[in-house]
Amino acid sequence: LFAFGAILSASAQTVLFEDNFDAYTAGTGVVAQNSAYWAYWSTGTPSDANVSSSFASSGANSAHINGTATDLVLPIGPFTTGKYDIKFKMYLPAGAGGYFNALHAWSGSSTAYQWAGDIFFDGAGVATWTTGGVQGGAVTVGTDVWFDVQVTADMDNDLGRLYFNGVVANEWQWSLNNANGAAGTNALAAFDFYGTNTANTAGNYYIDDVQVIESTGVSVKPIAAEKISKVSIYPNPIVNDGTIDLNLDKDEDV
């Protein structure tokens, strides 16, 4: 029973940043209204995304990424350890497509960029990507509908994951340079919403409910072995996932 003398709780999560654009004035730029958290691709070169009330996943507003003059950056960290989830809602009107990327290194005042991944969408709502020097994809997310996007950057395990609507679409070695697969920096520095698409022409899309979440791992609570009356493990046999049930004395607070 000693081997089971601990309780593992779910990983703790801390929301480091969130923005649903509802506190902004529609028709005005995101950076213009919140330069403390959002940035232009290059310092002093306006590439702002307008706040729009045309579509919204929640509330009244979203950010409109429209055409190649739009390049909205969310600086993050930079973090070199830990695990982070970047989550947002995305809306692709039919016909134009879209694009975003994650970066190991970014600075608005220099060209010392290093990309962790490029994700493209065509006019029919089909997603493709380049990560670790490898092109892949053909996942249909659809058009004229809000869908969930999540990128997980796990520096501790050097792992990147891309999710659409909660389903893993791609997994790669996070630190690799996206374009050629060369060794890169194991870091998370920024997220970039740029108004292009699969064909490298003008894209058109909306983002909403943006979050950056830090996962701080599991916590362990010791449990005295004598408090455990029975251990149940099921199903049997275990194929992928299983459950360990510790039948504790009633006075044991877990």
Side-chain angles (χ1 to χ4, degrees), residues 21-39:
F21 308 104
D22 290 335
Y24 302 164
T25 300
T28 306
V30 173
V31 180
Q33 298 182 75
N34 191 356
S35 60
Y37 292 99
W38 295 96

Side-chain angles (χ1 to χ4, degrees), residues 13-27:
Q13 294 187 324
T14 302
V15 177
L16 303 180
F17 171 84
E18 56 185 352
D19 200 346
N20 63 7
F21 308 104
D22 290 335
Y24 302 164
T25 300

Side-chain angles (χ1 to χ4, degrees), residues 54-143:
S54 297
F55 301 97
S57 176
S58 67
N61 294 339
S62 63
H64 189 191
I65 316 299
N66 186 22
T68 55
T70 306
D71 205 347
L72 180 66
V73 178
L74 178 63
I76 304 172
F79 299 120
T80 57
T81 61
K83 179 182 177 182
Y84 301 87
D85 297 323
I86 300 89
K87 298 182 176 183
F88 57 94
K89 302 281 191 176
M90 189 169 182
Y91 185 98
L92 291 162
Y99 164 86
F100 66 84
N101 65 64
L103 293 113
H104 298 142
W106 173 83
S107 170
S109 58
S110 73
T111 57
Y113 314 129
Q114 186 184 119
W115 281 264
D118 291 319
I119 293 84
F120 301 88
F121 303 85
D122 69 12
V126 176
T128 56
W129 49 79
T130 304
T131 55
V134 178
Q135 295 182 339
V139 174
T140 299
V141 294
T143 60

Side-chain angles (χ1 to χ4, degrees), residues 6-13 215-223 246 254:
I7 294 293
L8 300 182
S9 69
S11 58
Q13 294 187 324
S215 297
T216 54
V218 298
S219 58
V220 180
K221 178 182 178 180
I223 299 294
L246 306 182
V254 295

Side-chain angles (χ1 to χ4, degrees), residues 108-195:
S109 58
S110 73
T111 57
Y113 314 129
Q114 186 184 119
W115 281 264
D118 291 319
I119 293 84
F120 301 88
F121 303 85
D122 69 12
V126 176
T128 56
W129 49 79
T130 304
T131 55
V134 178
Q135 295 182 339
V139 174
T140 299
V141 294
T143 60
D144 301 316
V145 63
W146 286 100
F147 57 91
D148 294 314
V149 181
Q150 176 181 327
V151 173
T152 296
D154 184 350
M155 270 71 67
D156 294 340
N157 294 298
D158 196 5
L159 179 68
R161 284 197 180 102
L162 170 66
Y163 300 77
F164 294 118
N165 292 324
V167 178
V168 177
N170 184 33
E171 184 175 291
W172 72 100
Q173 184 178 339
W174 175 260
S175 65
L176 296 182
N177 186 295
N178 75 301
N180 56 19
T185 304
N186 190 20
L188 170 64
F191 232 71
D192 175 39
F193 301 95
Y194 179 45

